[in-house]
Amino acid sequence: MVTIKADALSALVRDIFAKAGCSAAEAERIGRYLVSANLTGHDSHGVVRVPRYLSWKKEGAVKADQSVKILTETPVLAVVDGLHGFGQTVAPQAVKIGIDKCKTNGLSMVALRNAGHIGRVGDWAEMAAAEGLVSVHFVNASGSVLVAPFGGTQRRLSTAPFCAGVPRPGQSPIVLDFATSIVAEGKVLVASFGGKKLPENALISLDGDMSTDPHLLYGDYTPTGRRDHSKGQGAIRAFGEHKGSGLAFLCEILGGSLTGMSATGEGRPFGNGMLSFYVDPKVVDPENFFPEDMARYIGYFKSARPVTANGEVLIPGEPEERMRAERLAKGVPLSDDTWAAIVNAAREVGVDERRIQDAGAQG
Ligand code: NAD
């Protein structure tokens, strides 16, 4: 295990993507958002993704420095094409359109299609919340069908994340943000690199047996080699039995079909589709009842007797907020295999060896 300071890690990722042909601004954004996922504890969506992002760029599946193309626009809604640009570039552009329309109208909707991997969806809810807006996001991961629906053993869903964010005056926002699979695919990726183990019931074999073994998803792989989920026969399980499977199904229909992305994306390169709704609470609630009632309710919610003596009831977003504070202070822990894969990636694109060593020394 190595521990790297967040600034040094995002600077190294920035240098890697700048060397790989992204503009300085895009490379900085990729570094910042990947490390933001690590800081919030979602290592699955952090720097472990660097080698895969680079392969996608090399293969032309993701393109540098795209600007979203507006396909349909009314005062309250927009349908935009991400043109297979990096998610860290086209997602914030789409969110900005939603924010601007919502600030004018009190309500807006933006459908984003053909985005490269948009990473931790909570980043986009936080971006809207920073502007005082509530947001709800239905996302599909087209071309990445990995999850078995309730009652089935074969892959029919993506990990299809759902996310909602609520701003709180003077405090960090509420952010509910999760994959609709028991674990995000990135958590299987992290486990395959020797990181945190998977929960007992996370994966299912074609024959219906539960498992924690990442080989079920990726087939054979070497310790630092590329993970290819087309090589495995098993599936991740949808969370929450029929209810979670139903929410995943809706993420496919809304984030995939309604955005124009495609729900399964069979035969197409990986891409995220995201259907987002934005609401301005100041327009809905001119009397300012909402923040006070919400604060009262949060106190009531958290006052429930904990299951264990040292336990605590948390609200969505609280674990991430605490983890961010801790990792900003202490650094981001990475498994040896993840760090080795990043160092390999940096050398392959020609990042100066001294820069790599410097980043590694910033523990
Ligand atoms: P997770 O299982 O860790 O759940 C996270 C959510 O649960 C957060 O809202 C968190 O605040 C809340 N939470 C966690 N512990 C809690 C507790 N003890 N009490 C109260 N609330 C608690 O997340 P996940 O399903 O592993 O997803 C990880 C990330 O992966 C997310 O950021 C998601 O957006 C991302 N993702 C992205 C894609 C994509 O294609 N871009 C696909 C899947 C997932």
Side-chain angles (χ1 to χ4, degrees):
M1 184 72 81
V2 294
T3 304
I4 316 273
K5 285 281 185 210
D7 284 352
L9 190 56
S10 46
L12 178 60
V13 175
R14 177 199 65 203
D15 291 352
I16 292 173
F17 284 93
K19 280 280 184 197
C22 296
S23 67
E26 178 162 77
E28 185 279 331
R29 265 194 310 274
I30 296 172
R32 176 158 43 92
Y33 284 121
L34 287 184
V35 172
S36 157
N38 288 104
L39 282 174
T40 49
H42 295 292
D43 296 333
S44 56
H45 287 68
V47 297
V48 72
R49 299 262 167 177
V50 167
R52 192 179 285 182
Y53 278 22
L54 286 174
S55 331
W56 280 340
K57 173 149 192 317
K58 212 164 160 183
E59 292 157 10
V62 175
K63 297 179 176 55
D65 295 295
Q66 297 297 304
S67 296
V68 296
K69 183 174 166 198
I70 298 184
L71 304 172
T72 299
E73 188 167 27
T74 76
V76 292
L77 68 82
V79 180
V80 303
D81 191 329
L83 304 171
H84 303 286
F86 275 96
Q88 290 73 14
T89 291
V90 297
Q93 290 172 4
V95 174
K96 172 81 168 58
I97 293 171
I99 289 171
D100 290 346
K101 286 185 181 297
C102 184
K103 282 189 167 175
T104 311
N105 299 293
L107 180 72
S108 68
M109 187 222 84
V110 175
L112 170 65
R113 67 173 74 156
N114 298 328
H117 188 247
I118 63 173
R120 175 184 170 249
V121 184
D123 280 326
W124 318 122
E126 283 174 5
M127 183 175 162
E131 299 290 331
L133 305 180
V134 171
S135 66
V136 181
H137 311 263
F138 294 89
V139 179
N140 96 317
S142 197
S144 180
V145 182
L146 295 172
V147 180
F150 178 69
T153 69
Q154 283 178 303
R155 305 174 180 187
R156 289 292 182 272
L157 298 157
S158 69
T159 54
F162 172 81
C163 176
V166 182
R168 290 191 295 161
Q171 282 180 286
S172 51
I174 296 166
V175 179
L176 180 64
D177 170 30
F178 54 71
T180 50
S181 46
I182 288 185
V183 289
E185 191 251 335
K187 294 208 165 140
V188 189
L189 191 66
V190 168
S192 80
F193 277 107
K196 195 174 166 194
K197 283 204 161 41
L198 297 173
E200 291 297 325
N201 56 354
L203 304 178
I204 187 164
S205 74
L206 205 51
D207 298 330
D209 297 322
M210 309 285 175
S211 172
T212 59
D213 182 1
H215 289 91
L216 215 56
L217 207 65
Y218 301 124
D220 287 338
Y221 51 77
T222 59
T224 60
R226 187 176 171 193
R227 284 16 178 187
D228 180 350
H229 52 63
S230 70
K231 300 276 194 284
Q233 293 248 301
I236 311 178
R237 295 182 64 236
F239 88 111
E241 307 302 336
H242 57 291
K243 303 179 191 187
S245 183
L247 180 58
F249 173 75
L250 268 186
C251 285
E252 293 292 345
I253 298 291
L254 299 179
S257 304
L258 187 56
T259 57
M261 179 75 228
S262 171
T264 61
E266 258 172 330
R268 294 175 59 172
F270 176 90
N272 274 133
M274 175 163 76
L275 190 76
S276 303
F277 297 92
Y278 302 89
V279 178
D280 188 343
K282 289 189 293 301
V283 178
V284 178
D285 169 47
E287 282 161 8
N288 226 20
F289 170 80
F290 174 55
E292 279 177 29
D293 194 63
M294 175 167 56
R296 223 174 4 251
Y297 179 67
I298 289 172
Y300 176 61
F301 179 90
K302 287 177 68 67
S303 71
R305 182 175 160 166
V307 174
T308 56
N310 297 327
E312 187 185 358
V313 175
L314 303 176
I315 60 166
E318 230 176 341
E320 284 78 9
E321 192 191 338
R322 291 182 184 184
M323 186 63 87
R324 190 184 274 134
E326 185 185 318
R327 290 190 169 181
L328 273 174
K330 295 187 183 158
V332 174
L334 299 174
S335 75
D336 292 333
D337 285 348
T338 301
W339 177 240
I342 293 168
V343 169
N344 280 347
R347 287 185 181 139
E348 255 172 47
V349 295
V351 174
D352 186 64
E353 189 62 30
R354 221 180 25 234
R355 292 276 310 112
I356 301 172
Q357 298 305 329
D358 282 354
Q362 302 280 314

